[in-house]
Amino acid sequence: MKKLVLAAALAAAASSANAGSLAEPVVEAPVIVEESQSASSGWVLPVLLLVLVGAAVASN
């Protein structure tokens, strides 16, 4: 009788330890942040304006 109770207790403990299901886990895709290229070319517009102003002053 003791062996039967012990076997039932072990079977109950083993079955309750198995949690979850066979479904695939949901994995979220990583977030990728891309740096903008406008920060490195921020000097182009002021230089272009300076050249245009210099050309306007030189033509007078």
Side-chain angles (χ1 to χ4, degrees), residues 25-49:
V26 176
V27 179
E28 295 182 14
V31 177
I32 300 173
V33 178
E34 184 176 337
E35 295 182 18
S36 64
Q37 296 295 329
S38 64
S40 64
S41 63
W43 58 272
V44 174
L45 185 60
V47 170
L48 184 62
L49 289 175

